[in-house]
Amino acid sequence: MADSIRVKATGSVSNLACGFDCLGYSMENPGDEITLTKNLSGEIKITMSGIQAEKITVNPDKNTAGKAILSMLSSLEISCGFDVHINKGIPPGSGIGSSASSAVGAVFALNQILENPLNEEELIIHAMVGEAVASGGFHADNVAPSLYGGMVLIRNYEPLDIIHIPVPAKLWSTAILPDYVVNTRVARQMLPNRVSLKTAVEQAGNLAGFTLGCVNSDFDLISRSMEDLFAEPVRKELIPGYKRVKNSALENGAIGCGISGSGPSMFAFSTDQQTAEIVAKEMQLSFKKSGLESKSYVSKINKNKPQILD
């Protein structure tokens, strides 16, 4: 059994317009690095570094990585102490799975140190427990793609049923992270408690169309289906320049654009790298017109699981 391990878990984009709380995909970058080292104290001790690390608590019961580790150790009935160092590559409140990345990296690293007592389906549960510390709810649309890689559909939560969606070979992702923060809990509290039957039917149709479009690499169907009737009509008000940014993506060749998670990050899909990079540039320019600097991440969808660094 190793005494120490360092892993990287990448960020993720969730909802994908039409799949509130049930669609997500893994990004190639950015990501969080988690170093887990056994200690003799019997306690979980967390230290932080990296982007906006000073904003994140080191209390293990309130830290997404710490809570995930505590949940996993409790379920295995193991009393063992660990030093946990989290090097943040994803700022909190970014909308690209910051809390999920830390939670996934933590359970993945712990499972490796303990010589893999749990399978991925079991690890997901503990990652969700950790991620809930930040989001206030149990959902897997960020933790599942971060752990599994690729694009996933959460068909059901009770029992948890996660399905891998085929990723079209020509699909490219653009994600834009503005220098702005949206509190995940606040963004969730804004959502309506009820939607009309008409709205629910339309959203179900969009979700089915998006999924079938991915299976068949039908980009026109994917494009037509990327409309959010649940969260985006409310959450767009939280993002300065939302309409301008979205229009700039679509006008420059993106097949779809929307809010990543609860925002403020936004994402777009394109069918080739050149278009994806042009879309990134134009989305950044649009954010700048609203007074926000931003970072862009252009890549294919990441199909890899968390990476063991050393």
Side-chain angles (χ1 to χ4, degrees):
M1 182 186 299
D3 289 334
S4 183
I5 190 172
R6 182 168 66 100
V7 306
K8 179 181 179 180
T10 62
S12 53
V13 172
S14 63
N15 296 346
L16 314 192
C18 56
F20 178 74
D21 271 7
C22 64
L23 280 180
Y25 70 84
S26 175
M27 305 169 67
E28 287 188 356
N29 278 298
D32 288 353
E33 293 183 6
I34 312 292
T35 303
L36 201 61
T37 306
K38 291 179 67 176
N39 66 39
L40 299 177
S41 70
E43 299 177 352
I44 305 300
K45 298 181 179 180
I46 299 174
T47 55
M48 304 287 307
S49 64
I51 301 173
Q52 298 182 22
E54 69 282 357
K55 296 182 178 181
I56 302 173
T57 179
V58 295
N59 180 338
D61 278 307
K62 298 180 179 180
N63 179 286
T64 61
K67 188 67 173 180
I69 289 170
L70 290 170
S71 174
M72 186 169 163
L73 291 174
S74 175
S75 73
L76 293 170
E77 298 182 345
I78 292 176
S79 298
C80 187
F82 288 94
D83 295 325
V84 185
H85 182 73
I86 306 170
N87 184 11
K88 291 296 295 181
I90 312 173
S94 60
I96 50 175
S98 175
S99 55
S101 177
S102 292
V104 166
V107 298
F108 183 86
L110 180 58
N111 205 46
Q112 293 292 321
I113 282 188
L114 298 178
E115 299 180 339
N116 299 301
L118 301 183
N119 60 35
E120 289 178 336
E121 289 73 19
E122 293 165 325
L123 286 181
I124 277 286
I125 301 300
H126 302 297
M128 289 172 63
V129 170
E131 209 266 352
V133 170
S135 67
F138 289 89
H139 51 95
D141 51 343
N142 284 111
V143 294
S146 185
L147 181 62
Y148 293 141
M151 185 184 295
V152 299
L153 166 70
I154 297 88
R155 190 201 65 80
N156 193 34
Y157 277 91
E158 295 181 8
L160 191 61
D161 186 4
I162 298 173
I163 299 167
H164 294 264
I165 297 177
V167 177
K170 294 182 179 180
L171 191 65
W172 280 79
S173 160
T174 297
I176 309 295
L177 170 57
D179 186 15
Y180 192 74
V181 174
V182 169
N183 183 282
T184 304
R185 284 178 179 265
V186 171
R188 292 192 76 84
Q189 290 168 359
M190 292 178 65
L191 298 175
N193 291 321
R194 295 175 182 271
V195 296
S196 69
L197 179 61
K198 180 177 182 293
T199 298
V201 170
E202 289 181 13
Q203 186 88 342
N206 284 333
L207 177 57
F210 178 88
T211 305
L212 187 60
C214 288
V215 170
N216 293 329
S217 294
D218 184 338
F219 295 109
D220 183 59
L221 179 55
I222 292 172
S223 179
R224 300 200 312 271
S225 301
M226 287 181 66
E227 181 182 7
D228 180 16
L229 303 174
F230 287 178
E232 209 150 315
V234 177
R235 288 177 171 173
K236 66 183 181 182
E237 303 299 331
L238 297 173
I239 303 173
Y242 159 87
K243 186 175 181 180
R244 181 189 293 123
V245 175
K246 183 169 184 174
N247 287 343
S248 71
L250 299 176
E251 290 167 2
N252 284 278
I255 62 171
C257 177
I259 300 172
S260 176
S262 56
S265 290
M266 294 182 67
F267 80 101
F269 282 146
S270 303
T271 57
D272 60 76
Q273 183 177 1
Q274 181 179 8
T275 302
E277 290 175 347
I278 292 171
V279 166
K281 179 180 177 181
E282 294 301 323
M283 291 176 74
Q284 285 188 282
L285 287 173
S286 294
F287 266 126
K288 196 163 189 175
K289 290 177 181 177
S290 296
L292 295 178
E293 297 296 327
S294 60
K295 293 181 179 179
S296 67
Y297 303 94
V298 176
S299 72
K300 290 289 193 71
I301 290 174
N302 173 43
K303 296 183 180 180
N304 298 317
K305 304 176 190 300
Q307 178 185 3
I308 298 175
L309 301 177
D310 51 50

